[in-house]
Amino acid sequence: MKAVKIKKVLQTGATNTSCSVQGWVRTFRANRFVALNDGSTLDNLQCVVDFEALDESLLKQITTGAALHLEGNLVESQGSGQNVELQVEKITLLGASDPEKYPIQPKKHSLEFLREKAHLRVRTATFSSVMRVRSALAFAVHEFFQEEGFFYVNTPIITGSDAEGAGEMFHVSTLDPKNPPLTETGDLDYKSDFFGKETNLTVSGQLEAEAYALGLGDVYTFGPTFRAENSNTTRHLAEFWMIEPEMAFYDLNDNMNLAEKFITSVLKKVLTRCEKDLQFLDDRFNQEEKSKPQLQRSPMGLLEKIKFVVDNDFKRVSYTEAYEILRNSKPNKKKKFQFPITEWGVDLQSEHERFLVEKHFNCPVILFDYPANIKAFYMRRNDDEKTVRAMDILFPGIGEIVGGSQREERLEVLEKRIEEMKIDKEELWWYLDLRRFGSVPHSGFGLGFERLVQFTTGMNNIRDVIPFPRTPQNASF
Ligand code: 4AD
Ligand code: MG
């Protein structure tokens, strides 16, 4: 008999007809009750076996972690805790699991422990919930942009350009590291490398997305991005997924409006589509918060936080206003900031972002018009000559979730900026062409997908919202 997904079984309810399911044993109690989970939903299906009818060797192999195919009758449950249960008539062992060695026991494991078992952690309630929410978010992202008339474009993963100008890139090469060809001056001779030039993994698809926006109008990318920054924090990955919309004829205000509408739209969708998982994660979040000292606890529960973001406008503040707020703030005056705010133009650290979002405004904040010196070369210069049309969206508990800007569409201004910042102009010839042939005002932003998943699931560490995290000194699995 063809197996049905447990999610469907639980939705359909007791039918007193035969039914078959397959999945992994979460627990086996009293030689009688199998809690089976197939990943389709948070809930397990209670399956009742008649152990007297089983042969001893099969009984022994029903252990936590084993994979079973069960056939039987779907009936109203006798016990409390579930509405239906499967009265098992036939058991097929699909894959045994040594109970002495299987690391995921039916007890609470620490997230750190589970990170080392990343190939098995999805068999826990927490990780399966997070991954279902992640999947629903990804779908909602595509849905949003498709409904808004955007086109999905795939920008290259291997590239010659450094979009962010930050130089934190992974090189891509087929040269023999033991015996690399050298030029006369002793540098690596990239001419004999695979692409005949220096290449790396992309840090952003933006530059190529701009080319496509200036032809298709409104486009978005959603792909992997790589950064070799040595940041061992709860918010940084070396490989992460980024969503980058890019829109022709948009100015910075249009850009901020779209970003806000986008985020609230996807959150709204998962609130209704992932109710069960989010309820579970909300409970989990509240438990975690309880174990923290009073002062460090989140003032809101997880669901409350999501709803708050959906229901309230983001606060829009210029860098200069934010700078004044920070400079005059209590923690700054009492020298509580690790990086004191002393002069206009300093880059904001996460402690400052958190102060603004979590203490001062108490809501998501869009900061705009940043000093040119702390932002990338492609951002549009304001008439004050000091600031650029940049915007960052800051979220409670996360910090920066979006970075974007209106792009510099004026050829001379852009060329000057590239020179000032000592960026290789030759490499950007095609990007400059876009300003030579039908240049128009345009804007875009990048949203770090894992940071969005973090916010939505309440997971504290970014390593716990991507299946197999890549971080400094860690690329297992
Ligand atoms: O602010 P960033 O560097 O902006 C860009 O890359 C632009 N080219 C985007 C654009 O305008 N099209 O990165 C955008 C977002 C950040 O706000 C953050 O959410 C995420 O990407 N991000 C990271 N997420 C996880 N790990 C990292 N190491 C990240 N670096 C950036
Ligand atoms: Mg940024």
Coordinates of all heavy atoms in Angstrom, one line a residue, residues 1 29 36 38 70 121 163 171 225 271 274 285 296 366 382 408 444 455 457 475:
M1 N 0.8 -1.2 0.0 CA 0.0 0.0 0.0 C 0.9 1.3 0.0 O 1.9 1.3 0.7 CB -0.9 0.0 1.3 CG -2.0 1.0 1.2 SD -2.8 1.1 2.8 CE -3.5 -0.5 3.0
R29 N 7.6 3.4 23.3 CA 7.3 3.2 24.7 C 6.6 1.9 25.0 O 5.7 1.5 24.2 CB 6.3 4.4 25.1 CG 6.9 5.7 25.4 CD 5.9 6.6 26.1 NE 4.8 6.9 25.2 CZ 3.5 6.6 25.5 NH1 3.3 6.0 26.7 NH2 2.5 6.8 24.7
L36 N 5.9 8.1 15.4 CA 6.6 8.1 14.1 C 6.5 9.5 13.5 O 5.5 10.1 13.5 CB 5.9 7.1 13.1 CG 6.7 6.7 11.9 CD1 7.7 5.6 12.3 CD2 5.8 6.1 10.8
D38 N 7.7 11.7 9.9 CA 8.2 11.6 8.5 C 8.7 13.0 8.0 O 8.9 13.1 6.8 CB 7.2 11.0 7.6 CG 5.9 11.9 7.4 OD1 5.9 13.0 8.0 OD2 5.0 11.4 6.7
L70 N 4.7 1.3 8.1 CA 3.7 0.7 8.9 C 2.3 0.7 8.2 O 2.0 1.7 7.5 CB 3.5 1.5 10.2 CG 4.7 1.6 11.1 CD1 4.5 2.5 12.3 CD2 5.2 0.2 11.6
R121 N 20.6 16.3 12.7 CA 19.9 17.2 13.5 C 18.5 17.6 13.0 O 17.6 18.0 13.8 CB 20.7 18.5 13.9 CG 20.9 19.4 12.7 CD 21.7 20.6 13.1 NE 22.0 21.5 12.0 CZ 22.5 22.7 12.0 NH1 22.8 23.2 13.2 NH2 22.7 23.4 11.0
A163 N 32.2 43.0 -5.9 CA 31.0 43.9 -5.9 C 31.1 44.9 -4.7 O 30.7 46.0 -4.9 CB 29.7 43.2 -6.0
H171 N 39.1 32.7 -3.5 CA 39.6 32.6 -4.8 C 39.2 31.3 -5.5 O 39.1 30.3 -4.8 CB 41.1 32.7 -4.8 CG 41.6 34.0 -4.4 ND1 41.3 35.2 -5.1 CD2 42.3 34.4 -3.4 CE1 41.8 36.2 -4.5 NE2 42.4 35.8 -3.4
T225 N 26.0 33.3 -1.6 CA 27.0 34.4 -1.6 C 28.1 34.0 -0.7 O 27.8 33.3 0.3 CB 26.3 35.7 -1.1 OG1 24.9 35.6 -1.4 CG2 26.9 36.9 -1.7
L271 N 3.3 33.4 8.7 CA 2.5 33.4 10.0 C 1.2 32.5 9.8 O 0.8 31.8 10.7 CB 2.0 34.8 10.3 CG 2.9 35.6 11.2 CD1 2.3 37.0 11.4 CD2 3.2 35.0 12.5
C274 N 2.8 28.5 8.5 CA 3.6 27.7 9.4 C 3.1 27.9 10.8 O 4.0 27.9 11.8 CB 5.1 28.2 9.3 SG 5.7 28.1 7.7
F285 N 11.3 29.5 22.2 CA 11.9 30.9 22.5 C 11.6 31.4 23.9 O 12.5 31.8 24.6 CB 11.3 31.8 21.4 CG 11.8 33.2 21.5 CD1 13.0 33.5 20.9 CD2 11.2 34.3 22.1 CE1 13.6 34.8 20.9 CE2 11.7 35.5 22.2 CZ 12.9 35.8 21.6
Q296 N 18.3 40.8 30.3 CA 18.6 40.4 28.9 C 17.5 39.7 28.2 O 17.6 39.4 27.0 CB 19.8 39.4 28.9 CG 21.1 40.1 29.3 CD 22.2 39.0 29.5 OE1 22.2 37.9 29.0 NE2 23.2 39.4 30.3
I366 N 14.9 51.9 9.5 CA 15.6 52.1 8.2 C 16.5 53.3 8.4 O 16.0 54.4 8.5 CB 14.7 52.2 7.0 CG1 13.6 51.2 7.0 CG2 15.5 52.2 5.7 CD1 12.7 51.2 5.8
N382 N 24.9 62.2 -2.7 CA 23.9 63.3 -2.4 C 24.6 64.6 -2.8 O 25.8 64.7 -2.9 CB 23.5 63.3 -1.0 CG 22.4 62.2 -0.7 OD1 21.4 62.2 -1.4 ND2 22.6 61.4 0.3
E408 N 24.6 54.9 -8.3 CA 25.1 56.1 -9.0 C 25.0 55.9 -10.5 O 25.6 55.0 -11.0 CB 26.6 56.3 -8.6 CG 27.2 57.6 -9.3 CD 26.4 58.8 -8.9 OE1 26.6 59.3 -7.7 OE2 25.6 59.3 -9.7
G444 N 18.3 49.2 -5.5 CA 18.1 47.8 -5.1 C 18.6 47.6 -3.7 O 19.2 48.5 -3.1
F455 N 15.4 35.7 12.4 CA 14.3 36.5 13.0 C 13.0 35.7 13.2 O 12.4 35.8 14.2 CB 14.1 37.8 12.2 CG 13.0 38.6 12.8 CD1 13.2 39.4 13.9 CD2 11.8 38.6 12.1 CE1 12.1 40.1 14.5 CE2 10.7 39.4 12.7 CZ 10.9 40.1 13.8
T457 N 12.4 32.5 13.2 CA 12.4 31.3 14.0 C 12.9 31.5 15.4 O 12.7 30.6 16.3 CB 13.3 30.2 13.4 OG1 14.6 30.7 13.3 CG2 12.8 29.8 12.0
A475 N 34.1 23.5 7.7 CA 33.3 23.2 6.4 C 33.1 21.7 6.4 O 33.2 21.0 5.4 CB 34.1 23.6 5.2

